[in-house]
Amino acid sequence: MLRIIALPTVVLGATLAVAPAMAQTLDRVEYGPRPFYLIDRMEDGPLKDQLQSCQNQEASTSLFSIGHRGAPMQFPEHTVESNRAAALMGAGILECDVTFTADLELVCRHAQNDLHTTTNILATPLASTCVAPFTPANSDAGAKAECRTSEITLDEYRSLTPKMDAADSTATTVEAYLDGTANFRTDLYSVEPAMLMTHADSIELFRDLGARFTPELKSPVVEMPFNGFTQEDYAQKLVDEYVAAGVPASDVWLQSFNLEDVLYWIKAAPEFGAQAVYLMDEYDIDGYSPMDAATWPNTMQELKAMGVNYIAPPTWMLVTLENGEIVPSELAIQAKAADINIITWTIERSGPLVNGGGWYYQSIADAVNSDGVMYELIDVLAQDVGVKGIFSDWPATVTYYANCMGLE
């Protein structure tokens, strides 16, 4: 059950804010019905039997379960509410994707230029700051807009109301454009304003929830240096906010898709660099294949020699099909041989799996025809690939598996 601590509230623009560091503590972890729904849809076999045998287990927090921007399958991402939900579902590590405002303050957003899909900015006077104003759909092109945190101050950012990340490209009005939530998600928890967070807010909240930290340094869309703020300044400021808060480096897994950021942390902040995570989007390289090491920009041994101890490819890069069975990919095999730890993303981001699961399941699409396959994938990732943690948009799914299998 939850123990809610009543606190004074203050109004920040349209958003009702409660001091996040003290807003809630958790007395227990709860799964809700979804893990049981997924298990019911599995094919009969030893894995299903084992997962069913754990149905009366006591739920507990696990570091194997990582909240991907909180719990954005139902809650607006990177909000206090989304992360409370993730912690309640047993996520032992929580994520703040980090970008910066015009006055160089670090805030939690998936991208520097996503305010038009993740907040109500287009319906506010701050729409005038957008680098690309709302353009309605017409016969030649879809609706579009682009609004950046780097165009507004921290105070202006705090005045915005977050929403589910979505936009309707067929819209001819701002109101319709903002109302594009995917049908497997919900706006149920977006009606009353949720609470945006700075990176410093996230540190306080996650610590209060008993979770550890995995911030991602997002690639800027503005040219760097930005008003004298260099990429190294940006990477260092992220570390400095943990140091200022007294958070030990062992509780933090810094992330970046930019290998140079990871190498900077390894050199300039070695205690944090030892757990820095290289997020892999190498699939964007022409001709790349996780099954062919000759197509990789760096071998696993080369990354290890650079001091990289953690990589985080998407789920599909770590698995393939062999005689119809899900097995580790060549990338997974070589990472394990190089003694590199693996984290992966993202479970519960694909909607119903009856039609193959889409992008995150592309390497095993021929075996994906039911939501029950989700636990088959998680099991291979955990037992055969040996991942250390899995990001999820609904952490209870991963937490249930981790608890049943004894993963801390």
Side-chain angles (χ1 to χ4, degrees), residues 94-398:
L94 298 173
E95 179 185 44
C96 168
D97 291 329
V98 176
T99 188
F100 56 84
T101 60
D103 45 354
L104 306 182
E105 296 295 335
L106 302 186
V107 295
C108 299
R109 285 292 91 197
H110 181 240
Q112 192 170 59
N113 60 338
D114 75 357
L115 293 178
H116 51 288
T117 64
T118 63
T119 75
N120 69 334
I121 190 170
L122 290 173
T124 76
L126 289 174
S128 64
T129 69
C130 296
V131 297
F134 172 72
T135 302
N138 56 47
S139 58
D140 297 320
K144 59 184 179 180
E146 183 181 348
C147 308
R148 301 175 178 177
T149 60
S150 52
E151 299 298 314
I152 61 176
T153 66
L154 177 59
D155 285 345
E156 290 171 329
Y157 169 80
R158 286 193 183 277
S159 75
L160 299 174
T161 297
K163 70 179 194 68
M164 296 296 283
D165 183 13
D168 182 353
S169 63
T170 69
T172 58
T173 66
V174 165
E175 292 75 18
Y177 181 77
L178 296 175
D179 186 24
T181 302
N183 60 11
F184 66 90
R185 295 187 174 134
T186 179
D187 288 315
L188 182 63
Y189 303 107
S190 301
V191 177
E192 293 189 30
M195 295 159 54
L196 293 169
M197 296 189 298
T198 66
H199 176 242
D201 289 340
S202 78
I203 294 174
E204 292 187 59
L205 176 67
F206 298 175
R207 180 162 50 190
D208 188 60
L209 292 171
R212 300 185 193 179
F213 314 84
T214 186
E216 179 189 338
L217 196 75
K218 302 303 296 188
S219 297
V221 295
V222 295
E223 184 176 350
M224 300 291 278
F226 176 79
N227 295 338
F229 193 54
T230 68
Q231 185 67 24
E232 289 190 350
D233 292 337
Y234 180 31
Q236 186 61 49
K237 186 176 179 68
L238 181 64
V239 172
D240 290 345
E241 293 200 350
Y242 287 98
V243 174
V247 176
S250 59
D251 286 352
V252 183
W253 287 263
L254 306 175
Q255 308 173 70
S256 180
F257 280 105
N258 181 359
L259 181 58
E260 293 305 312
D261 292 336
V262 176
L263 298 180
Y264 171 80
W265 290 321
I266 291 169
K267 179 180 178 180
E271 289 187 350
F272 288 87
Q275 290 191 163
V277 182
Y278 173 39
L279 294 162
M280 301 180 77
D281 59 358
E282 299 174 351
Y283 48 79
D284 282 336
I285 299 172
D286 188 39
Y288 176 88
S289 170
M291 298 301 294
D292 183 1
T295 67
W296 306 347
N298 300 285
T299 67
M300 297 299 101
Q301 290 80 7
E302 287 169 343
L303 287 175
K304 185 69 174 181
M306 296 176 195
V308 176
N309 292 320
Y310 285 83
I311 60 171
T315 52
W316 69 265
M317 285 175 57
L318 295 171
V319 291
T320 189
L321 290 179
E322 188 175 284
N323 299 321
E325 299 295 324
I326 305 172
V327 297
S329 68
E330 184 64 20
L331 177 70
I333 292 169
Q334 292 206 21
K336 187 174 183 178
D339 195 28
I340 292 179
N341 298 301
I342 305 172
I343 297 168
T344 192
W345 44 279
T346 305
I347 295 293
E348 297 284 25
R349 196 164 179 81
S350 303
L353 303 186
V354 292
N355 296 316
W359 192 84
Y360 287 97
Y361 292 82
Q362 60 186 281
S363 62
I364 58 169
D366 289 345
V368 181
N369 56 12
S370 164
D371 284 346
V373 175
M374 197 177 304
Y375 272 127
E376 294 180 31
L377 174 60
I378 291 171
D379 187 59
V380 172
L381 290 169
Q383 305 301 329
D384 300 331
V385 174
V387 300
K388 301 298 183 184
I390 299 178
F391 282 92
S392 178
D393 280 15
W394 199 246
T397 299
V398 176

